[in-house]
Amino acid sequence: VGMHRILLVDDDLLSLRSTKLLLEKNGYQVDTVTSGDEAIARVRACGACGYALVLLDFRMQGKDGAATAEALLSLSPDLFILIY
């Protein structure tokens, strides 16, 4: 299951929902959060949570994608992160 688990981070709810549906339709287990701080809290609470990938919006309110990625990698250096 961990091989197909994705953390999706986007503050645009429409984009979040549509991307989640597309990924789930293709067999991925998708967890969603709406801010960089939520993503950081999630990874801090459970290590990498078995995530194969973090899909991270670059433009978000609060922490942007670059700052979020930096914080996530400091918590879990082996995490794969794609910023879009």
Side-chain angles (χ1 to χ4, degrees):
V1 171
M3 290 295 294
H4 301 293
R5 192 164 180 205
I6 295 173
L7 179 60
L8 179 58
V9 188
D10 197 330
D11 61 349
D12 178 336
L13 295 181
L14 184 61
S15 175
L16 194 71
R17 283 191 205 104
S18 59
T19 305
K20 177 181 169 74
L21 286 172
L22 178 68
L23 290 168
E24 287 177 341
K25 186 176 179 182
N26 285 284
Y28 296 96
Q29 178 186 346
V30 182
D31 294 339
T32 59
V33 293
T34 57
S35 73
D37 287 331
E38 282 182 89
I40 293 161
R42 172 78 54 102
V43 171
R44 182 178 283 129
C46 64
C49 295
Y51 292 122
L53 177 67
V54 176
L55 281 177
L56 183 55
D57 183 20
F58 181 75
R59 288 186 172 170
M60 294 186 289
Q61 296 293 326
K63 273 190 181 55
D64 69 10
T68 300
E70 188 177 344
L72 289 173
L73 289 171
S74 74
L75 293 170
S76 185
D78 295 332
L79 207 52
F80 286 99
I81 299 173
L82 178 65
I83 300 175
Y84 63 95

